[in-house]
């Protein structure tokens, strides 16, 4: 008697055409999902059908194509709202990605709330996208960046976080799931503690949205930013969720068509949410493709994907730990699909180059987290990052590739 597998990864892999290709004569082993994930056929088909059947500009047209494009575009917004359980579509703003979402908040709410001598709290494990916009804001205003330290496992020091909060704190912006370490931060606690001080919190969800079920109302975060391309959707599209009352209180970011109600040379009245923050013709195909990615994820079930990925992570961690001369960077108790490592005596770039000859795609470098690398006093790591279409056999291929790397450099 055969038992049905809980998560049928072989069936899932068939949905991703790129996984059939070869690299350097070997089957592709794609372990660079934290940089960008692969796209299922349904997302690719959606982009093709949008451009071949309904391409038109949204919101402005009375003709059929424009209405169909608008329905699809707004339908995608609605799918994203459900995915993260926001209260209403007005709280879902289409952006270019996580980076733009964070910049938007920094240059609107940030400029309004943060004054000279005030403080913005981030952490030592932030992506540059969640460092530089705040640094720029602080420089503009004469405010200061405060950084929550981490321990050697790559976990936030929550006591230190609490100590950093003061009447000078005006904003907190923290990553939910670290791209370089895989640490899942206790963001619900982080939000609750900040709210005791009346401080709003932005969560960088670039890595969590594709890997964890997210409920923004349960987290009670004020903002949540993520990118479509890491969520099995197209590049150039992302989401900024914000609570309505905050979004309404915020000044505009970019200005122009679509985000206005009326314009005279004397005065402009801005549009309602979410259009107030969507100036210009949006990335219509990207948004519709993101909607298709959300549909796809719903067929998989993020909770099932999370359980499978965490099994894979455990297997990968155990396998890598058996390799002499390999050191894992990022050993938090609460982790998701990232295996960052160093090999004794070999530069991470060389690891990546040898693995590529084996058809294995990993990322090497600082992963846009230079302050984190400084914390660990290393220039870079080699990072294998997982998705639900990866397999134990691919982890075995990685392990074999690492042994091969040692051989090449011995
Ligand atoms: N934040 C984190 C944690 C990330 O991993 C990334 C991308 O790798 C970003 C922000 C920036 O995302 P994007 O380049 O899609 O704007």
């Amino acid at each position: 008697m055969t038992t049905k597998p809980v998560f049928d990864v072989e069936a899932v892999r068939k949905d991703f055409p790129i996984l059939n290709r070869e690299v350097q004569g070997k089957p592709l082993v794609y372990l660079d999902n934290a940089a960008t994930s692969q796209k299922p056929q349904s997302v690719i088909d959606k982009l093709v059908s949008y451009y071949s059947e309904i391409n038109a500009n949204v919101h402005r047209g009375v003709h059929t194509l424009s209405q169909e494009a608008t329905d699809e575009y707004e339908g995608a917004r609605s799918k994203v709202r459900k995915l993260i359980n926001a209260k209403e579509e007005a709280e879902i703003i289409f952006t270019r990605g996580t980076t733009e979402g964070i910049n938007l908040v920094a240059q609107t709410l940030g400029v309004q709330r943060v004054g000279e001598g005030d403080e913005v709290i981030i952490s030592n494990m932030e992506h540059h996208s969640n460092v530089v916009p705040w640094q720029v804001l602080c420089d503009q205003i004469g405010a200061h960046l405060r950084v929550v330290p981490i321990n050697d496992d790559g976990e936030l020091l929550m006591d230190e976080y609490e100590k950093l909060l003061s009447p000078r704190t005006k904003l907190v912006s923290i990553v939910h799931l670290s791209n370089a370490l895989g640490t899942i931060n206790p963001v619900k606690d982080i939000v609750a503690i900040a709210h005791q001080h009346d401080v709003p919190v932005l969560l960088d969800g670039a890595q969590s949205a594709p890997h964890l079920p997210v409920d923004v109302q349960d987290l009670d975060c004020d903002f949540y930013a993520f990118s479509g391309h890491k969520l099995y959707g197209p590049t150039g599209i992302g989401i900024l969720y914000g609570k309505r009352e905050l979004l309404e209180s915020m000044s505009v970011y970019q200005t122009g068509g679509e985000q206005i109600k009326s314009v005279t040379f004397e005065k402009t009245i801005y549009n309602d949410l979410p259009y107030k923050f969507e100036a210009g013709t949006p990335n219509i195909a990207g948004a519709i493709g993101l909607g298709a990615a959300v549909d796809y994820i719903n067929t998989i079930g993020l909770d099932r994907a999370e359980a499978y990925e965490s099994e894979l992570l455990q297997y990968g961690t155990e396998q890598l730990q058996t390799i002499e001369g390999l050191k894992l960077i990022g050993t938090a108790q609460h982790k998701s699909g990232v295996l960052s490592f160093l090999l004794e005596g070999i530069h991470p770039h060389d690891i990546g180059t040898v693995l590529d000859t084996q058809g294995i795609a990993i990322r090497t470098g600082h992963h846009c987290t230079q302050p984190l690398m400084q914390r660990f006093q290393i220039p870079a790591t080699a990072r294998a990052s997982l998705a639900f279409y990866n397999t134990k056999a691919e982890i075995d291929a990685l392990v074999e590739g690492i042994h091969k790397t040692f051989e090449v450099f011995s």
Side-chain angles (χ1 to χ4, degrees):
M1 195 181 81
T2 53
T3 50
K4 195 169 175 283
V6 178
F7 187 83
D8 188 352
V9 67
E10 289 309 327
V12 167
R13 288 176 70 80
K14 293 199 178 91
D15 297 333
F16 292 81
I18 205 170
L19 298 180
N20 289 323
R21 74 161 277 184
E22 293 193 342
V23 167
Q24 311 242 19
K26 307 259 168 44
L28 167 67
V29 174
Y30 188 76
L31 296 172
D32 194 16
N33 295 288
T36 198
S37 60
Q38 298 303 344
K39 319 304 170 200
Q41 188 65 51
S42 57
V43 169
I44 300 166
D45 288 347
K46 194 73 184 176
L47 293 174
V48 172
S49 78
Y50 166 69
Y51 279 121
S52 50
E53 287 164 36
I54 55 173
N55 176 51
N57 211 330
V58 288
H59 298 142
R60 292 190 275 259
V62 291
H63 63 81
T64 301
L65 293 192
S66 177
Q67 284 173 7
E68 285 179 7
T70 303
D71 287 349
E72 292 269 0
Y73 180 77
E74 291 304 328
R77 195 191 306 276
S78 177
K79 289 170 190 179
V80 171
R81 181 199 71 70
K82 287 196 198 97
L83 179 76
I84 61 170
N85 193 32
K87 260 192 213 147
E88 42 177 329
E89 277 75 19
E91 297 178 321
I92 303 293
I93 296 158
F94 283 120
T95 61
R96 281 195 300 127
T98 312
T99 305
E100 189 175 54
I102 298 172
N103 274 279
L104 189 161
V105 177
Q107 287 304 315
T108 54
L109 189 76
V111 170
Q112 287 166 267
R113 264 188 80 86
V114 182
E116 197 177 341
D118 284 339
E119 296 178 352
V120 174
I121 295 180
I122 60 169
S123 88
N124 202 164
M125 67 175 85
E126 300 309 320
H127 189 280
H128 296 159
S129 297
N130 200 26
V131 176
V132 186
W134 305 113
Q135 210 165 40
V136 167
L137 171 72
C138 288
D139 285 350
Q140 267 169 283
I141 280 176
H144 308 285
L145 212 50
R146 292 283 174 261
V147 180
V148 185
I150 60 173
N151 65 21
D152 291 342
D153 288 319
E155 293 164 325
L156 288 182
L157 298 179
M158 288 296 282
D159 290 352
E160 298 298 323
Y161 166 59
E162 290 204 46
K163 279 190 221 153
L164 282 178
L165 279 152
S166 80
R168 286 187 301 275
T169 313
K170 292 295 181 296
L171 270 162
V172 171
S173 191
I174 298 277
V175 68
H176 190 177
L177 197 176
S178 155
N179 64 310
L181 301 170
T183 309
I184 301 174
N185 286 318
V187 284
K188 201 168 165 175
D189 294 342
I190 289 170
V191 171
I193 294 165
H195 284 177
Q196 285 164 15
H197 297 259
D198 288 326
V199 175
V201 180
L202 184 151
L203 296 180
D204 171 350
Q207 299 295 337
S208 53
H211 299 288
L212 309 174
V214 169
D215 180 334
V216 290
Q217 291 189 67
D218 179 56
L219 293 174
D220 199 24
C221 56
D222 300 280
F223 300 97
Y224 183 85
F226 63 97
S227 304
H229 70 98
K230 295 183 200 281
L231 192 94
Y232 315 100
T235 48
I237 188 76
I239 297 294
L240 175 69
Y241 157 80
K243 285 183 180 164
R244 176 188 267 279
E245 61 276 21
L246 280 168
L247 291 174
E248 271 178 349
S249 74
M250 280 154 56
S251 52
V252 292
Y253 180 51
Q254 292 186 338
T255 53
E258 289 271 320
Q259 62 91 234
I260 52 87
K261 251 187 192 153
S262 72
V263 179
T264 64
F265 286 123
E266 288 70 42
K267 188 174 167 62
T268 293
I269 298 173
Y270 300 120
N271 209 338
D272 297 328
L273 291 173
Y275 312 111
K276 170 182 161 183
F277 292 107
E278 292 180 3
T281 298
N283 181 353
I284 304 164
I288 293 172
L290 176 57
V294 172
D295 285 341
Y296 180 78
I297 286 165
N298 288 337
T299 66
I300 300 283
L302 263 181
D303 44 354
R304 287 173 70 235
E306 184 196 6
Y308 174 75
E309 285 176 16
S310 95
E311 199 185 298
L312 213 52
L313 177 68
Q314 195 186 336
Y315 179 74
T317 307
E318 284 163 11
Q319 295 307 305
L320 292 197
Q321 277 169 339
T322 63
I323 301 175
E324 211 177 305
L326 182 147
K327 185 176 182 211
L328 278 175
I329 303 290
T331 45
Q333 288 242 324
H334 205 29
K335 254 191 91 168
S336 174
V338 172
L339 292 158
S340 251
F341 60 92
L342 303 172
L343 300 185
E344 211 176 300
I346 306 176
H347 193 280
H349 289 317
D350 293 330
I351 305 171
T353 306
V354 177
L355 290 180
D356 184 57
T357 65
Q358 307 301 301
I360 303 169
I362 61 156
R363 180 133 307 225
T364 60
H366 51 63
H367 316 297
C368 295
T369 55
Q370 285 183 348
L372 180 68
M373 298 295 121
Q374 287 149 18
R375 161 66 178 77
F376 283 100
Q377 298 185 320
I378 51 178
T381 74
R383 180 190 70 187
S385 53
L386 309 173
F388 53 67
Y389 43 65
N390 290 127
T391 64
K392 286 187 179 168
E394 289 182 315
I395 302 274
D396 296 341
L398 173 68
V399 171
E400 209 179 298
I402 292 171
H403 286 303
K404 169 106 186 158
T405 311
F406 273 124
E407 268 168 46
V408 170
F409 287 95
S410 66

